[in-house]
Amino acid sequence: MRKYALQNAVEYDGAGQAGSVLGRLLGERADLRGRARDLKELVESEVAAANQLAASEGVEAAHAALAATNPEALQRQKQQKRVGLKELPEAIRGEVVLRFAPNPNGPLTLGHARGVAINSEYAKMYDGKVVLRFDDTDTKVKPPLPEAYDWIEAQYEWLAGRPADIIIRASERMPVYLAHAEQMLSGDFGYVCRCTASDFKQLRDAREVCPCRTRSVEENLADWQAMNDGEIAEGGAVVRVKTDLELPNPALRDWPALRIQHTAHPIVGKAHNVWPLLDFQSAIEDHEQGVTHIVRGKDLMDSTRKQTLLYEHFGWTYPQTLYWGRVKIHEFGGFSTSGMRAAIENGEYSGWDDPRLPTLAALRRRGFDAAALRAFWIDLGLTQKDISISMQTIESFNSSEIDARCERRSFVRGPRLLSLDASGCSGGPGTSISNARHPDGAVEGSRKWELGDGAILIEAADADDTGGSLRLKDYADVDIDAGTSVARVESWSRSDRRAIVHWLPQIMARKARLTRVIGHDLVVEEGMLEGFELVDGAIVQLERVGFARIESLPDDGPVELLFLHG
RNA sequence: GCUCGUGUAGUGUAGUUCGGUCCAUCAUGACGGACUCUCGAUCCGUCGACCCGGGUUCAAAUCCCGGCACGAGCACCA
């Protein structure tokens, strides 16, 4: 007890508190809890004594007293933030099967990245597998984009750092789903409903039995056959799963499992007239693949409940299910894959990798690193909160990932030409200088700059016609007199606290255009880029500007740069 | 409206299962400083939170009750 009293007194500079001390004591000695009331007085006097000691002889005395009796108490452990994802419930190492199931109606977006990152990370944690499943059983409302399958496979691999363990296209697994549907009808836990959608909704909301529900298995099977043979028009019939109509959530009552679609499927064509809806297809396939854990958005909570009802009919056990909440990125408003597809088709964007789009393709093109994206999503973790985050956060993850390997270059925007006058200052580095490729030496070597005839470029924004004093980074302190374009060298070494600016000898400079995304616009800044060892596709850090990717490096004409972030 | 879910600093996040070592973690951000040299990195410092109200208890972010706020689902989309 004295130990805690002293500890508390030391930690709070002689202002230990009895309540806190009692808490620590009882936390460690569960056996004393029943006598908490009796202990209280004792603790209070002990704390008072400890505080008194600290007050009269200084905190050091209390510290020393504690060190003499209980040195270990000096090192109190502060609580720590858990790292990585929280444990998966009922997970057995080596037997975990997860899945990531996008609709291939376009390439992956930043939102999908969460699914890839979380699922692949869990697979890594438990030495499990991830099934990449294309949920492409809608031929009409959100039809698949044939190219998207390959894109998604590649993007999954890029982001997860390894390919998916199993890849499945739902559209190729139709026989499995149709067989299960038939089994459901035969088992009389499903039925063919001929009501219109709105009629059914009315009955459902009133908890009333639809007339189709009570028909015989034979009648259902006959209608099922007709549906599959294409004898019933789209919307003319739907297969429903029988549920308790007293279910409090109307969305779950006799939910639809399969519907008729006569539109050709972009991949498998007109092979089927009846297609399963997500809840049915996904439920069956999860069971077929032995999925043990489903991690999905909480907008799919009702899906879990619907599918659980179906699993009960089949006598299966539903996988463990975890949810994440909705994520909004400040910088990208409400983008949907189908919305982007339309905007690209009408020319609003140049393609799926248009830097203004929140697609993985665009992010990758700009220079975002897969490991950084993964780290970001894992740090967010799995919470059901609906959150709104800023790209700034993602950018900071990216900076810490790429900074060490990005070489520095000088890019002078809106250049102003000055001529260097070193006549008043002897010494100096001579006809060339060399700067580090990376200031912390993470990338070894240097960049050699020929100085030429003393014609140099600085950003006009750094020195207007009124002149000023500047330090040309890693070179010289200069003064520019008002109305002139002469930079007079005052000192080679840093002599005062004048602003440090980046600059370029004119003979090292080559024309470049830096494109950056500002809101919904692309803004181009023209300038002169340091022409030292430029590599097509490389990401460089432009001093005092930020990271940018070299998009093209033509033999003549300006270098194209795409801004990544600051 | 019905059903479900969620509320911890500006933004995210740990801790909530099982009340106590929590005057609450970490990151990001903002601000200030250091650094023989970027608006980058690094280092140091500062700022800042348990949705509200009751209750139980020696002790509540944690348990109970009641509010409030926000979000999602209620498609023959995924």
Side-chain angles (χ1 to χ4, degrees):
Chain A
M1 188 189 301
R2 174 164 290 133
K3 161 176 120 180
Y4 286 114
L6 283 168
Q7 181 193 46
N8 205 244
V10 170
E11 276 174 30
Y12 297 101
D13 288 332
Q17 281 182 14
S20 172
V21 173
L22 184 62
R24 284 186 195 176
L25 179 62
L26 295 179
E28 184 167 300
R29 295 283 302 273
D31 55 307
L32 296 176
R33 283 182 197 167
R35 296 167 50 203
R37 213 183 285 265
D38 307 331
L39 279 170
K40 202 176 179 190
E41 267 182 47
L42 227 49
V43 168
E44 276 165 1
S45 64
E46 201 61 57
V47 167
N51 287 344
Q52 179 60 38
L53 175 67
S56 59
E57 299 176 37
V59 178
E60 300 74 29
H63 192 275
L66 186 57
T69 55
N70 304 84
E72 80 286 354
L74 254 18
Q75 299 290 319
R76 196 176 127 232
Q77 264 203 338
K78 274 234 162 181
Q79 68 177 201
Q80 296 191 328
K81 182 174 173 174
R82 191 202 67 227
V83 289
L85 260 18
K86 66 176 140 211
E87 293 288 306
L88 226 35
E90 295 186 37
I92 301 169
R93 183 164 196 84
E95 292 178 18
V96 170
V97 181
L98 300 127
R99 41 72 143 196
F100 171 65
N103 180 348
N105 63 340
L108 263 22
T109 64
L110 190 49
H112 287 109
R114 187 176 201 176
V116 176
I118 300 275
N119 280 296
S120 61
E121 180 69 11
Y122 270 134
K124 199 164 113 195
M125 277 170 66
Y126 290 100
D127 199 13
K129 289 181 172 26
V130 179
V131 177
L132 167 58
R133 185 183 74 216
F134 294 103
D135 281 347
D136 59 347
T137 58
D138 175 29
T139 63
K140 203 173 180 178
V141 184
K142 290 181 183 170
L145 185 66
E147 308 91 290
Y149 294 81
D150 287 345
W151 293 343
I152 291 174
E153 281 183 38
Q155 288 169 346
Y156 178 97
E157 182 169 351
W158 173 68
L159 195 54
R162 46 175 279 188
D165 300 283
I166 299 157
I167 297 173
I168 282 184
R169 298 184 179 190
S171 55
E172 292 175 349
R173 302 268 298 157
M174 287 296 287
V176 175
Y177 311 138
L178 297 177
H180 279 88
E182 199 165 317
Q183 192 187 334
M184 182 165 81
L185 293 171
S186 306
D188 203 21
F189 52 92
Y191 63 98
V192 176
C193 176
R194 307 289 301 259
C195 300
T196 65
S198 66
D199 284 351
F200 181 82
K201 186 178 180 352
Q202 276 191 351
L203 292 166
R204 182 196 69 185
D205 290 347
R207 304 180 189 225
E208 280 172 20
V209 175
C210 142
C212 319
R213 194 181 207 257
T214 50
R215 300 197 311 155
S216 69
V217 169
E218 289 67 33
E219 287 172 299
N220 281 325
L221 254 15
D223 273 352
W224 169 246
Q225 191 62 47
M227 286 171 77
N228 281 287
D229 290 345
E231 289 163 14
I232 302 178
E234 289 190 10
V238 61
V239 176
R240 296 188 178 280
V241 178
K242 285 190 186 175
T243 69
D244 181 355
L245 294 181
E246 294 301 317
L247 251 20
N249 187 347
L252 310 184
R253 298 178 199 148
D254 280 11
W255 56 273
L258 302 96
R259 78 324 206 173
I260 298 169
Q261 287 197 328
H262 289 166
T263 322
H265 188 281
I267 303 291
V268 300
K270 293 206 56 157
H272 309 283
N273 291 313
V274 180
W275 291 85
L277 286 145
L278 170 83
D279 289 315
F280 187 78
Q281 177 270 126
S282 170
I284 302 295
E285 197 61 78
D286 283 338
H287 180 259
E288 290 285 310
Q289 298 301 326
V291 168
T292 59
H293 295 78
I294 299 173
V295 192
R296 54 164 54 139
K298 70 173 187 180
D299 51 315
L300 260 23
M301 275 185 170
D302 283 352
S303 258
T304 301
R305 297 181 185 106
K306 288 182 199 174
Q307 295 176 347
T308 303
L309 296 169
L310 183 66
Y311 270 52
E312 284 167 6
H313 282 310
F314 278 112
W316 302 336
T317 307
Y318 200 74
Q320 292 287 329
T321 313
L322 301 167
Y323 305 95
W324 57 63
R326 190 191 161 86
V327 177
K328 258 194 209 147
I329 311 276
H330 294 318
E331 288 78 356
F332 301 105
F335 278 94
S336 67
T337 302
S338 32
M340 284 190 275
R341 189 168 168 176
I344 290 166
E345 275 160 14
N346 73 29
E348 246 177 271
Y349 298 105
S350 58
W352 289 103
D353 65 352
D354 186 301
R356 291 166 291 183
L357 258 19
T359 57
L360 252 31
L363 260 23
R364 187 178 181 180
R365 175 178 166 194
R366 283 170 60 188
F368 280 94
D369 183 89
L373 257 24
R374 225 182 301 139
F376 164 74
W377 286 114
I378 290 167
D379 185 71
L380 273 197
L382 260 192
T383 65
Q384 291 189 31
K385 269 196 279 189
D386 298 313
I387 56 173
S388 185
I389 49 127
S390 155
M391 276 306 286
Q392 228 181 18
T393 308
I394 301 179
E395 288 167 2
S396 109
F397 273 85
N398 201 55
S399 293
S400 46
E401 187 66 37
I402 67 170
D403 178 75
R405 58 174 192 255
C406 290
E407 294 196 18
R408 308 294 126 122
R409 291 291 184 273
S410 183
F411 176 58
V412 180
R413 306 163 311 204
R416 178 177 175 204
L417 183 64
L418 298 175
S419 64
L420 210 58
D421 171 15
S423 58
C425 201
S426 62
T431 59
S432 72
I433 58 172
S434 58
N435 298 323
R437 287 171 188 258
H438 191 289
D440 307 322
V443 181
E444 306 209 331
S446 55
R447 303 128 65 192
K448 188 177 183 195
W449 284 11
E450 294 299 337
L451 297 174
D453 58 2
I456 60 161
L457 301 162
I458 63 167
E459 295 201 352
D462 285 328
D464 57 20
D465 286 341
T466 60
S469 295
L470 298 170
R471 166 108 188 135
L472 303 179
K473 186 173 181 300
D474 295 311
Y475 185 51
D477 285 0
V478 299
D479 278 1
I480 303 159
D481 291 331
T484 74
S485 55
V486 174
R488 205 173 55 250
V489 177
E490 295 293 308
S491 158
W492 297 111
S493 60
R494 186 142 170 74
S495 61
D496 52 24
R497 306 195 38 109
R498 63 183 70 194
I500 296 168
V501 301
H502 64 295
W503 61 288
L504 221 40
Q506 195 180 25
I507 61 161
M508 291 299 296
R510 102 173 250 197
K511 266 205 162 81
R513 294 156 42 89
L514 175 66
T515 303
R516 62 165 96 202
V517 178
I518 295 177
H520 270 354
D521 300 315
L522 289 175
V523 177
V524 176
E525 293 175 306
E526 313 246 357
M528 300 299 279
L529 177 67
E530 170 184 345
F532 181 85
E533 275 184 34
L534 298 174
V535 178
D536 201 3
I539 301 165
V540 293
Q541 192 196 89
L542 305 173
E543 283 171 344
R544 293 178 68 223
V545 177
F547 294 96
R549 198 174 142 272
I550 299 173
E551 285 242 284
S552 77
L553 210 50
D555 289 335
D556 50 275
V559 177
E560 292 289 343
L561 298 165
L562 180 59
F563 188 69
L564 173 53
H565 53 70

